[in-house]
Amino acid sequence: MSDALTLRAQAAELADSGGDLLLEAERLSRSLIMGEHGRRKAGLGDHFWQYRPFENGVDSPRSIDHRRSAQQDQYFVRQLEWKTPQALHVWVDQSASMRFASKGNAGKNNRAAILVLAIAIAAEKAGERVGLCDSTLAPSRGRKQILQLAKQLNLQMDTDYSLTGPAEFLTSATALIASDFLSKSTDVESILSIAADRGVRGVLLQVLDPLECSFPFQGRALFQSVLGSVEHDTLQAADLKSEYLKRLADRQQRLGELADMARWDFLVDDGSFALIITLSKIYQSLSKGRTG
Amino acid sequence: MAFFATLGFAVPWILLGLLVLPVLWIILRAIPPAPIRRIFPAVVLLHGLLDKSHASDRTPWWLLLLRSFAMASVIIGMAGPILNRQENVQTRGDLLILLDGSWASGRDWSQKIEQIENELKDAERASRNVAFMLLTAPSTLEFRPVNMLKGRIASLKPRAHDPDWSQATAVLQAVISKKFDTIWFSDGLAHGGQKSRFLSDLQDRGEVSVYNSQAPLFTLSGVSLLEDSFAVDVHRLSDVGQADFTLLAEGVDPAGNPEVIARLEQAFKAGKNDVRVEISLPPELRNRITRFSIEAQRYAGARFILANELRRVEAAIFAGSGDSEVTELLKSSHYAKRALGQNADILSGQMADILLANPDIILLADVVTVEAAEDVEAWVKGGGTLLRFAGPRLAGAKRDIFLRDPLMPVALRHGGRRLDGAMSWGLPKEVAPFEEDSPFAGLEIPPDLRVYAQVLAQPGPELSGKVIASLQDGTPLVTRTQLGLGQIVLVHVTANAEWSNLPLTGLFPKLLQRLASRDNLSVDIQDLAGQTWTPIKTLDGFGLLSASQSLVGVKGSVLEEGKFNAKMPPGIYQSDARVISRNLALNSDALEAMEWPGDVVLKQSSIAENDLAGFFLSLAVLAMVIDILASLSISGRLRTSAALCLAILFVHPALPVGAESNFSPEIALTQEVVLGHILSGDKAVDQIANEGLYGLSKVIGERTSVEPGQPVGIFLESDELAFFPLIYWPVSASQPLPSRQAYEKLNIYLNTGGVILFDTRDGDLAGARGQGQVNRALQKLTQSLDIPRLETVPDNHVLTRSFYLLQDFPGRYRGSQLWVQASNMQSGTSEELPFRMLNDGVTPVLIGGNDWASAWALDDAGVANYPVGRGYAGERQREMAFRFGVNLIMHVLTGNYKSDQVHVPALLERLGK
């Protein structure tokens, strides 16, 4: 098969999966109601703010609200509340380790992408700007932005563990970074420090496979990363269980501490809950960050 | 360690392979099991972790042990282990296997065959040539390699007579120069010293070793008739202890099937070797006896066959004219009829016709001129008994009539005499005691027996020889003369109570019986000579009677001699109309145990050799399978569920493979109506039943709203019955009796609304109470079931109208009765209720024999599998069979609803009013 054909087939596949992701995310996002952020002053917006007397020369005659003006001998102008959209940065770890899926479960990247997209769709509907954390897709509004996002989230990288992408944030934006956070913790530190510098708050979402949380292995085994860059040979896998679980807990604690320092939130999705539950947790964290 | 003493090896040097086992152990220990590759992204977290122990870097010791065990089993299996290995006979050369094969050999024949096979194995190993010789039927000795003889073992059968010593000696003489060893399978009897003589002949040729039968030996020497019973003489091979045995009188039932008529448990007392068993049976039973045998003794010696020796006599009674005009009690034939009637069949008709039936005895009461006298005379000469009674007419007949009459034993004086007349001096006479040589000897004379009148014989020199009973004054009461094979008897008084009270006494029937019964067991032997006797049925060495094949008739004199051989075995012989049985009649003389001289090797019957190679090799395979499972489980590849499945497979091999027990998913059975049939164990029957129910299910699905699923075969012992609305039970004679638990289950099923349709599949040919094999199987099977009172399906049974209107219930056969639970008559008469008031209207059992399954059987395409009847009528019958099936299922499924439906017109009518 020629390269072009392969490429095209893969592209179609990717587009398909992007579509699936989008559908799933749309379905999920319907359960979220994201309000716009009122500025408590008149401006561009949908909601009524106040009637004020018509000032000749300042207001155009077109802006006269005739229903209100008809009640008195004076012209009134109907002012709406000024609303500003916020920027939401999203990021899904695209390294190979995220592709792992144990039997009967969806891939980690899949879950992460659905959650992130759902948040992004809900935010976009609420009038916020959504984009990635790097230069490839700057925050913007519109349905087309979501489609772009879906496509971008579906890309895959050829390294086992990498968290070097998210480096560009708009000031005071909100961010959602989903990964399994199995790469070096310094990656996370650097991201968080950049974010903190810019006054960005957000959520670190750790997506794990149930297998990674339970470690149900026995007997002689050779553990490999998805691309095979890291290997571990053991004679009695069951003996490693407690040690492994302890290390996992340590890692999560460390991530939590890092997030706290940057006033971020750290959430874990290990596949044991329905997506909607994780989604509402993320939503709560993101809203809290905005109002608080 | 007795086990190992008996264990030997065919190729012992292979056992050296066992030395390799330690090496194997070391090699296996060194190699750890292969790891499994697992993709696991969180492996980074494992980085740097160390294993706690090194336990699994080597194969666990028990796995090593298992593998070593498997290897050892393979090695031992290859070495050809043999249990109970027999020592090889050192001598070489040819071998004669000699069997007595006599009437006593059948008792442990299968054991002998086993021993012969063992000996042949030995001979094969030593590559000796072997010949067989059966002493009862010696044939030329041909020494052959063993593998050419193996097929002949099965054809070795004992015979029902003594060894043919002269022939055997001749056979031995034919190979006079040959040397060979002999293994003699003896019946344990001396055969009058002939065996010892033959033994010394054999010892001239080589070494003789003997397997001597040790089993107890019984014989029946004969049956003797007693006054109103008979006795069987039983003997045994001398033995000191007490021995129980059961004497069976076997015969046929009225339907012609064999049955045991009497079973007598008897015993030889310690030290006694003869016993006489007296059997008293009603004549009806006694007539049906065809043979006597000792239970569980399957050889010719323990059988005594009868042709018709215990058969009822046939008698004809003729009375003089005028007999029909008097009242019953005065008739001259009345008393004779009553007296003979107990154990004789009375023929009636014209003399000419009766003679054709060849009765045993003809009674003439006061008949002067005998009809068809020449024929009667011929009949008497052929063995008949003509019994004449005197009377007024005989007394008044002219004297010269009797002078010429060959049918009168003595010449009579004219007029007779009257003893109690008013003008006579004398008193009624008493009867003198019977003489020793009289046929009536031993009979008691009742004290009140008086003779009032008699006819008198013309005195003569030969008169006294003819008198067999006389009055006290010496005048004859009964006279007899032999004529040919038969006899003519004259009783000098009337056959009624007119001239004497003899017919009123208990003596009368006994006299008649003595005269009528042919003392055949002794009589027959005396007069066999001069005729040629053809064997009809002959006895084989196992005591079974079978139609004789290709045996020519033998001369009566030879038969009388009773020296049985291969050409004249014991059995049933026929000449013209006479049928007699010839038995071995082995009395204690024939039972002399053989004393073997000291130079003969007496072999003990040993346990058969047992080749254990297969056992060890399968053990090895088993060990390897366990090893696979164990290795899988160690390396974590074995899923628990898989292990469970395998474990079940191993623990539960009882689940029959191939049989159509698709029964396990109970859920499937409860989702739709499923018809079940009992698996009888007979493959063909079960298949027909399954196909039949499949066809019926299909038809029901097409015609009604019931849509049954695939029919299911039921194992009575293991399967739950509650799911089946109807169970079809094809009764097969070969079906083993279900266990008690199964019966309990069946009873619960029947009592809780289940229905079983028993089908004897024989068209009820033997009749409902018949004794056919299948019927008996049905009786046996249903003995422990709670089956209510049955009746044949009445015309107004709901089964005749539950879907179709039916008159009868044909299957592959038609016309046999279908039996259902009898209706409860107390609940109402059929006038009031046009339907049956039964408990919920459903009969728990239906019993019939129309072989419905065969008629119902359809294949997937809906084409009938088995023919029913012919042409259109046959198809019509099949249609009716289906209609019966539909009605039955409807009846079963709807209970009394269908019978209530019958009400509807009546209810509507009432409502209309």
Side-chain angles (χ1 to χ4, degrees):
Chain A
M1 197 182 275
S2 73
D3 280 359
L5 273 178
T6 323
L7 210 61
R8 196 176 149 191
Q10 279 175 351
E13 204 175 286
L14 280 180
D16 272 359
S17 65
D20 283 352
L21 277 181
L22 212 55
L23 273 178
E24 177 78 17
E26 293 248 23
R27 195 179 57 73
L28 270 175
S29 69
R30 253 174 240 144
S31 52
L32 295 180
I33 305 158
M34 248 181 185
E36 292 187 1
H37 317 285
R39 294 276 126 169
R40 312 262 169 209
K41 56 183 175 182
L44 289 171
D46 291 333
H47 289 135
F48 171 78
W49 182 246
Q50 67 174 356
Y51 293 112
R52 89 177 147 74
F54 176 74
E55 285 173 43
N56 215 350
V58 178
D59 300 318
S60 85
R62 286 182 123 196
S63 61
I64 293 173
D65 186 273
H66 291 282
R67 188 182 286 175
R68 178 71 181 85
S69 306
Q71 294 177 351
Q72 287 174 345
D73 295 336
Q74 205 180 348
Y75 294 114
F76 283 96
V77 174
R78 189 169 183 262
Q79 281 193 315
L80 301 173
E81 189 182 16
W82 183 42
K83 287 179 183 170
T84 52
Q86 269 197 324
L88 173 64
H89 287 286
V90 294
W91 181 262
V92 173
D93 185 358
Q94 287 159 349
S95 59
S97 73
M98 286 293 279
R99 264 178 260 156
F100 174 74
S102 61
K103 207 173 172 189
N105 290 306
K108 291 193 284 183
N109 56 353
N110 197 290
R111 257 202 349 266
I114 288 174
L115 285 170
V116 164
L117 258 184
I119 291 286
I121 289 167
E124 195 277 332
K125 273 186 190 154
E128 294 187 1
R129 292 179 294 155
V130 185
L132 291 176
C133 307
D134 57 7
S135 52
T136 51
L137 195 66
S140 167
R141 292 195 64 170
R143 183 73 187 161
K144 200 182 171 197
Q145 179 74 3
I146 296 294
L147 290 175
Q148 288 279 340
L149 204 60
K151 227 172 243 174
Q152 288 288 329
L153 291 182
N154 240 321
L155 293 183
Q156 289 175 354
M157 284 166 71
D158 279 344
T159 50
D160 259 335
Y161 308 98
S162 142
L163 201 58
T164 49
E168 292 181 24
F169 297 101
L170 293 182
T171 318
S172 305
T174 317
L176 170 60
I177 295 179
S179 169
D180 50 10
F181 297 112
L182 290 173
S183 59
K184 296 189 288 291
S185 54
T186 48
D187 291 349
V188 184
E189 279 170 35
S190 66
I191 291 170
L192 285 181
S193 63
I194 295 171
D197 286 351
R198 298 260 178 157
V200 173
R201 290 208 207 134
V203 172
L204 290 180
L205 175 65
Q206 186 177 34
V207 181
L208 290 177
D209 193 87
L211 210 63
E212 292 169 333
C213 300
S214 58
F215 200 76
F217 305 112
Q218 284 180 341
R220 180 136 198 258
L222 180 66
F223 293 108
Q224 285 180 321
S225 62
V226 175
L227 295 179
S229 63
V230 186
E231 278 187 0
H232 183 79
D233 190 359
T234 180
L235 296 166
Q236 197 42 268
D239 288 350
L240 298 181
K241 182 172 180 177
S242 56
E243 196 68 25
Y244 165 80
L245 289 180
K246 190 165 167 296
R247 283 191 175 194
L248 185 65
D250 287 352
R251 167 68 62 108
Q252 286 175 342
Q253 197 188 344
R254 171 82 185 133
L255 285 170
E257 282 164 7
L258 284 176
D260 267 357
M261 277 172 3
R263 297 188 67 197
W264 280 47
D265 279 335
F266 175 66
L267 295 176
V268 179
D269 174 39
D270 58 3
S272 53
F273 304 111
L275 282 174
I276 183 77
I277 294 173
T278 319
L279 189 69
S280 62
K281 274 194 208 160
I282 299 168
Y283 173 62
Q284 275 168 18
S285 294
L286 288 178
S287 332
K288 183 184 72 187
R290 199 164 293 129
T291 51
Chain B
M1 289 293 108
F3 173 80
F4 291 104
T6 56
L7 191 66
F9 289 94
V11 205
W13 56 266
I14 290 188
L15 291 178
L16 290 177
L18 288 174
L19 294 177
V20 187
L21 281 185
V23 182
L24 187 77
W25 179 284
I26 291 161
I27 292 173
L28 282 177
R29 255 182 92 79
I31 305 171
I36 317 171
R37 285 175 184 279
R38 294 184 188 282
I39 302 293
F40 189 63
V43 62
V44 285
L45 295 180
L46 294 173
H47 209 68
L49 284 184
L50 288 176
D51 285 331
K52 278 180 184 168
S53 68
H54 297 269
S56 114
D57 63 349
R58 289 190 181 147
T59 316
W61 64 269
W62 52 269
L63 196 61
L64 273 179
L65 201 65
L66 191 71
R67 285 175 185 170
S68 309
F69 175 69
M71 271 322 284
S73 295
V74 169
I75 292 169
I76 294 174
M78 298 300 245
I82 298 168
L83 192 63
N84 305 320
R85 188 176 168 78
Q86 322 268 293
E87 291 310 311
N88 276 343
V89 183
Q90 295 305 314
T91 48
R92 299 205 151 233
D94 291 346
L95 178 71
L96 172 67
I97 288 182
L98 185 68
L99 296 107
D100 278 347
S102 71
W103 49 264
S105 298
R107 58 198 155 131
D108 51 0
W109 195 254
S110 55
Q111 198 187 336
K112 283 195 180 100
I113 294 293
E114 237 169 71
Q115 288 160 350
I116 290 174
E117 278 167 356
N118 275 337
E119 291 294 345
L120 284 184
K121 273 187 207 162
D122 280 346
E124 194 171 23
R125 251 180 248 132
S127 45
R128 307 172 83 179
N129 283 345
V130 177
F132 287 124
M133 178 149 118
L134 203 61
L135 280 173
T136 38
S139 55
T140 330
L141 288 183
E142 285 167 348
F143 291 91
R144 297 255 175 85
V146 171
N147 51 13
M148 295 177 70
L149 290 172
K150 277 183 176 161
R152 273 197 60 199
I153 298 176
S155 67
L156 293 174
K157 293 268 158 61
R159 308 290 173 102
H161 46 85
D162 284 325
D164 193 343
W165 299 108
S166 57
Q167 177 78 18
T169 317
V171 167
L172 215 54
Q173 291 297 322
V175 284
I176 193 127
S177 57
K178 194 148 180 76
K179 292 281 179 197
F180 50 82
D181 291 335
T182 306
I183 296 173
W184 193 335
F185 292 87
S186 159
D187 57 10
L189 296 175
H191 291 286
Q194 309 218 52
K195 203 172 218 167
S196 312
R197 251 167 276 152
F198 196 67
L199 175 65
S200 60
D201 284 356
L202 288 174
Q203 281 175 326
D204 293 343
R205 309 301 184 90
E207 194 179 313
V208 177
S209 47
V210 170
Y211 284 96
N212 205 22
S213 280
Q214 306 290 339
L217 179 61
F218 300 94
T219 61
L220 300 175
S221 68
V223 179
S224 34
L225 294 165
L226 304 178
E227 189 173 320
D228 43 20
S229 63
F230 50 93
V232 180
D233 292 308
V234 187
H235 311 274
R236 65 165 170 175
L237 187 61
S238 34
D239 194 353
V240 278
Q242 180 167 345
D244 294 331
F245 67 93
T246 306
L247 181 70
L248 299 180
E250 290 167 286
V252 289
D253 65 10
N257 299 302
E259 73 168 350
V260 174
I261 288 168
R263 171 188 295 272
L264 296 112
E265 283 172 18
Q266 298 282 335
F268 283 105
K269 290 209 180 66
K272 292 253 180 181
N273 291 326
D274 309 283
V275 89
R276 170 167 269 223
V277 183
E278 244 184 77
I279 306 170
S280 181
L281 284 174
E284 288 78 21
L285 289 179
R286 172 180 154 167
N287 286 334
R288 296 190 340 227
I289 295 175
T290 55
R291 68 173 186 189
F292 294 97
S293 57
I294 310 276
E295 195 174 43
Q297 302 291 318
R298 301 172 56 82
Y299 47 90
R303 294 281 190 285
F304 196 93
I305 52 171
L306 298 171
N308 48 17
E309 284 81 355
L310 297 175
R311 193 176 54 87
R312 284 165 79 87
V313 291
E314 286 179 331
I317 298 174
F318 291 94
S321 59
D323 199 43
S324 56
E325 288 155 20
V326 294
T327 58
E328 190 67 27
L329 287 176
L330 294 178
K331 274 186 184 171
S332 15
S333 58
H334 175 71
Y335 299 96
K337 248 181 213 167
R338 294 294 299 270
L340 278 175
Q342 271 184 11
N343 48 7
D345 293 324
I346 311 285
L347 305 176
S348 58
Q350 294 300 308
M351 179 64 88
D353 300 334
I354 283 175
L355 283 177
L356 289 178
N358 192 20
D360 301 304
I361 180 164
I362 295 179
L363 246 90
L364 298 174
D366 197 17
V367 174
V368 180
T369 333
V370 182
E371 270 179 76
E374 279 110 48
D375 293 339
V376 175
E377 193 180 339
W379 166 77
V380 173
K381 282 179 178 161
T385 298
L386 182 67
L387 179 59
R388 303 185 67 159
F389 284 89
R393 269 182 289 275
L394 210 56
K398 283 193 181 137
R399 193 183 144 214
D400 49 345
I401 292 179
F402 304 117
L403 283 178
R404 280 177 276 117
D405 191 354
L407 297 176
M408 189 61 83
V410 290
L412 294 182
R413 287 169 69 173
H414 182 71
R417 75 163 172 171
R418 190 102 199 147
L419 297 167
D420 65 337
M423 300 293 287
S424 64
W425 292 105
L427 287 171
K429 293 292 183 221
E430 287 176 35
V431 176
F434 300 117
E435 301 280 335
E436 273 303 308
D437 55 351
S438 154
F440 308 131
L443 290 183
E444 192 108 340
I445 294 167
D448 55 350
L449 176 58
R450 293 288 182 278
V451 174
Y452 315 117
Q454 68 178 142
V455 290
L456 289 172
Q458 198 76 31
E462 68 277 13
L463 178 61
S464 64
K466 291 180 176 175
V467 175
I468 51 175
S470 59
L471 299 186
Q472 275 179 334
D473 62 356
T475 52
L477 177 65
V478 184
T479 50
R480 179 174 76 165
T481 181
Q482 297 282 346
L483 182 63
L485 295 171
Q487 57 182 347
I488 299 166
V489 181
L490 174 68
V491 181
H492 289 237
V493 292
T494 52
N496 59 11
E498 213 174 305
W499 282 16
S500 74
N501 58 4
L502 175 67
L504 303 179
T505 63
L507 183 63
F508 189 60
K510 286 179 186 163
L511 290 184
L512 289 192
Q513 209 169 335
R514 288 252 174 140
L515 289 171
S517 77
R518 306 179 303 166
D519 196 7
N520 33 45
L521 296 174
S522 52
V523 168
D524 276 354
I525 291 170
Q526 286 163 10
D527 46 48
L528 299 181
Q531 286 166 303
T532 303
W533 296 86
T534 324
I536 315 170
K537 288 179 168 179
T538 54
L539 209 58
D540 68 13
F542 296 113
L544 296 177
L545 209 55
S546 51
S548 85
Q549 288 157 349
S550 66
L551 280 176
V552 292
V554 287
K555 284 210 172 100
S557 53
V558 182
L559 195 61
E560 206 173 303
E561 214 174 313
K563 291 232 161 93
F564 297 107
N565 54 33
K567 284 175 186 149
M568 192 189 78
I572 290 175
Y573 287 80
Q574 185 179 33
S575 169
D576 293 336
R578 287 179 70 193
V579 177
I580 58 157
S581 63
R582 298 295 287 128
N583 281 288
L584 288 161
L586 299 154
N587 51 28
S588 34
D589 298 343
L591 293 169
E592 189 191 336
M594 176 72 185
E595 300 290 339
W596 295 97
D599 51 351
V600 166
V601 182
L602 273 179
K603 289 199 170 193
Q604 289 301 314
S605 50
S606 58
I607 314 158
E609 283 190 0
N610 210 338
D611 194 348
L612 294 176
F615 171 76
F616 275 102
L617 289 179
S618 35
L619 208 62
V621 171
L622 189 70
M624 284 170 188
V625 169
I626 295 173
D627 177 58
I628 290 172
L629 292 178
S631 320
L632 281 178
S633 92
I634 283 181
S635 54
R637 281 181 174 93
L638 186 71
R639 287 166 161 267
T640 339
S641 55
L644 212 66
C645 288
L646 281 169
I648 287 168
L649 209 70
F650 272 105
V651 174
H652 227 295
L655 279 177
V657 186
E660 54 266 47
S661 177
N662 34 15
F663 192 70
S664 45
E666 273 88 0
I667 293 163
L669 292 179
T670 48
Q671 296 205 323
E672 46 193 354
V673 174
V674 174
L675 305 180
H677 62 93
I678 300 284
L679 292 174
S680 65
D682 183 337
K683 271 234 154 98
V685 171
D686 293 345
Q687 193 197 339
I688 292 176
N690 198 277
E691 289 169 355
L693 291 187
Y694 173 74
L696 181 61
S697 300
K698 207 162 163 164
V699 167
I700 289 174
E702 283 163 6
R703 301 185 183 182
T704 74
S705 52
V706 184
E707 288 171 358
Q710 278 286 336
V712 158
I714 304 168
F715 286 109
L716 257 186
E717 304 296 334
S718 53
D719 291 346
E720 174 58 52
L721 305 176
F723 307 120
F724 301 99
L726 172 82
I727 292 178
Y728 177 73
W729 189 332
V731 180
S732 140
S734 62
Q735 176 160 23
L737 222 54
S739 69
R740 224 161 48 89
Q741 287 83 350
Y743 272 123
E744 270 167 29
K745 207 154 55 172
L746 278 171
N747 280 333
I748 290 172
Y749 174 72
L750 287 178
N751 292 334
T752 51
V755 179
I756 300 180
L757 169 61
F758 288 100
D759 189 353
T760 54
R761 303 175 296 109
D762 59 355
D764 211 6
L765 295 175
R769 290 188 189 80
Q771 291 293 316
Q773 239 186 349
V774 185
N775 264 323
R776 250 178 299 150
L778 176 66
Q779 285 168 10
K780 237 175 19 184
L781 286 175
T782 53
Q783 225 160 30
S784 317
L785 286 183
D786 294 345
I787 291 185
R789 201 160 59 85
L790 299 178
E791 64 178 0
T792 53
V793 179
D795 288 344
N796 56 354
H797 195 277
V798 69
L799 207 50
T800 62
R801 56 186 75 172
S802 62
F803 194 86
Y804 292 105
L805 290 175
L806 292 180
Q807 300 305 316
D808 59 349
F809 314 100
R812 201 152 76 85
Y813 304 102
R814 65 182 313 150
S816 92
Q817 298 281 15
L818 180 65
W819 294 77
V820 295
Q821 180 182 16
S823 61
N824 184 2
M825 275 310 175
Q826 282 128 16
S827 65
T829 64
S830 57
E831 273 87 17
E832 279 173 341
L833 306 164
F835 53 90
R836 317 297 296 183
M837 279 294 289
L838 299 178
N839 64 354
D840 206 28
V842 181
T843 170
V845 287
L846 295 104
I847 300 178
N850 279 341
D851 197 3
W852 289 286
S854 294
W856 292 336
L858 297 181
D859 64 8
D860 287 337
V863 180
N865 284 351
Y866 305 100
V868 170
R870 277 182 196 284
Y872 177 74
E875 286 317 304
R876 181 78 191 150
Q877 187 175 336
R878 189 193 303 284
E879 169 60 24
M880 284 303 167
F882 276 126
R883 290 186 178 186
F884 162 65
V886 173
N887 267 17
L888 177 63
I889 301 299
M890 280 296 157
H891 174 51
V892 165
L893 291 182
T894 57
N896 56 11
Y897 170 73
K898 282 288 180 184
S899 49
D900 286 349
Q901 280 291 295
V902 185
H903 268 322
V904 169
L907 288 174
L908 286 177
E909 201 181 336
R910 272 190 208 176
L911 284 174
K913 277 176 191 169

